[in-house]
Amino acid sequence: MDRSPPFSSSSSDSSQFSSTSSSPAKSTRVVLSIECLKGSSKADEWTGDMLQTGDIVEELRIGNMIVKSPFKNGKSGIQKILHGSFKQKETSIRVRVRRGSDELAELQACIVPGDQFVGRKHYVLRAIDDPNYAVGFIDRTESECLDLQGQKLNISLVDFSMLDI
């Protein structure tokens, strides 16, 4: 009998977003991804690089609650968790994301109501020390995320190649 914690992931877990085949291709698996909404250059509370659109969310920590990927019901499930936490005035959150296969980054932020969808309970995360930096969540396939990450890597490589070192 499997005794893994309710929010842990394992290779045998299946997501409702997986394709209907018995062994879905990794690139078609739907994951929770970061969507940058606003940004600036200040980000003291980040470890590693700034989170970017396309980063794959691996874990959320709100108070004593830890929620790990795969996230039940994706973005809508996370929005319900954020809504419940906001109502309970538990707005401090730590988000851990993955880039590629092994690079991790983390953000400590606050849960705030989003101003994009009037009349809808929609929540975003604002960086603690930089209220101009906000991220949201979106469901994407893993291959879409990796493509977005690859585009940013290619841009960075081009920028470095222009330097006379």
Side-chain angles (χ1 to χ4, degrees), residues 49 52 103 148-165:
D49 243 348
Q52 301 171 3
E103 185 181 343
L148 286 167
Q149 293 170 14
Q151 290 171 3
K152 288 180 182 75
L153 177 62
N154 289 337
I155 290 169
S156 297
L157 291 174
V158 169
D159 292 343
F160 286 121
S161 69
M162 295 177 158
L163 298 174
D164 283 332
I165 297 178

Side-chain angles (χ1 to χ4, degrees), residues 46-112:
W46 294 81
T47 60
D49 243 348
M50 297 276 293
L51 294 191
Q52 301 171 3
T53 296
D55 286 346
I56 299 169
V57 180
E58 291 291 318
E59 179 181 275
L60 302 173
R61 291 177 181 249
I62 306 169
N64 293 327
M65 178 175 45
I66 300 172
V67 186
K68 294 185 178 188
S69 174
F71 302 101
K72 184 177 180 182
N73 297 325
K75 177 187 170 185
S76 64
I78 292 303
Q79 284 297 316
K80 287 179 184 177
I81 291 171
L82 297 178
H83 175 69
S85 295
F86 186 80
K87 281 179 61 174
Q88 294 175 5
K89 299 189 184 327
E90 182 70 58
T91 59
S92 180
I93 185 171
R94 189 173 297 266
V95 181
R96 191 178 64 168
V97 300
R98 173 175 55 91
R99 250 181 234 132
S101 60
D102 61 354
E103 185 181 343
L104 296 175
E106 194 170 282
L107 166 70
Q108 185 174 350
C110 279
I111 301 167
V112 296

Side-chain angles (χ1 to χ4, degrees), residues 6-27:
F7 297 117
S8 72
S9 63
S10 70
S11 58
S12 63
D13 285 348
S14 62
S15 169
Q16 72 178 28
F17 297 110
S18 298
S19 74
T20 56
S21 69
S22 59
S23 59
K26 189 174 187 176
S27 62

